[in-house]
Amino acid sequence: NRIPASCSKPTRTGLMVACLTWTLPQRSSSPLPRSNACFDAVWRKGWTEPWSAEPVDPKRPLVCLDETTKQLVQETRLPLPAVPGRPLSEDYEYERHGVASLFMMCAPLVGWREVSVRECKTRVDYAQCLRALAEEHFPAAEKIVLVQDNLNTHAAASLYEAFEPATARRLLERFEFHYTPKHGSWLNIAEIELSVLNRQCLDRRIGDWNLLREEVGAWTKRRNHPACKINWRFTTQEARGKLKKLYPSFDAFVERFVLTPFGHLVLSCINRVLFYLEPCHAVLKRLC
């Protein structure tokens, strides 16, 4: 979408308002089933709260999956170290060495996470991550409850594209998929882990694939050693209060239908029909 001519040179705040106006979805109840499904997956009966020290059901672990990218940038000149009275100095020039895809897989209730660094984020890469979850990380689980967003590669068809039909079917039976609603990917707890990864590990220039894998692996071990958990307290009942504007109501019906030109046309037709039926009603009443 192009910015209108009246906003050809908007301020930063004005541009943010314009972008939010164009990208926010209209009021609709379509995201509600998936929202409730994600909340129920996190707060399912039989599981404990994320801040509790009690063990969870090992047969049905909750795993959240999300992915991001990291641009590999190499320094062209060595930075000047910081000295008293002068901060660290870096040259604005750099060399690009490709873009890495990072698949974040985390079990927020047990404080476990794993990051897979790959060159692409195709269906085959996604299927390889699912296979690692089922066979390497949770081999004893009967069903892995997987929460993920609506990316086109996040589908069961990816398993059949990467493996033989028998292997794909066997892996598919190990998973129970829960998708976040559109414009509601914040319900995926893996985004919180990606935010921590970006702030603690990836907020600098990294230009080598091996260095990237080493740094991400060291960060993962440091986070898994004390079993850092996610303090997720947003329940289904609280969501129904916060997102009450998405639920259908009479006011919303009046706003979206009655107060439109089409709604006025329908109401005028109904009034005209009632006007012509009134004499007939009087005649029938007199005959009876």
Side-chain angles (χ1 to χ4, degrees), residues 61-75:
L62 170 69
V63 178
C64 301
L65 185 145
D66 200 3
E67 55 194 69
T68 187
T69 57
K70 171 62 177 177
Q71 182 178 210
L72 298 181
V73 174
Q74 182 69 40
E75 299 281 2

Side-chain angles (χ1 to χ4, degrees), residues 192-265:
I192 301 177
E193 284 292 337
L194 285 178
S195 176
V196 177
L197 174 63
N198 289 326
R199 287 183 282 110
Q200 295 183 353
C201 180
L202 303 181
D203 60 343
R204 53 195 172 93
R205 292 181 177 180
I206 301 177
D208 183 70
W209 283 91
N210 294 329
L211 178 60
L212 177 63
R213 291 188 174 93
E214 291 177 1
E215 293 294 330
V216 171
W219 175 87
T220 303
K221 292 181 180 179
R222 186 172 67 251
R223 290 278 292 176
N224 286 336
H225 179 66
C228 299
K229 301 180 181 179
I230 301 296
N231 192 359
W232 183 269
R233 295 175 177 267
F234 199 41
T235 63
T236 306
Q237 296 297 330
E238 293 177 354
R240 288 173 180 170
K242 294 286 186 179
L243 307 177
K244 62 181 180 180
K245 293 183 179 180
L246 297 178
Y247 287 85
S249 62
F250 180 75
D251 296 336
F253 169 76
V254 172
E255 180 182 349
R256 297 183 58 185
F257 178 74
V258 179
L259 300 182
T260 61
F262 179 74
H264 285 295
L265 178 61

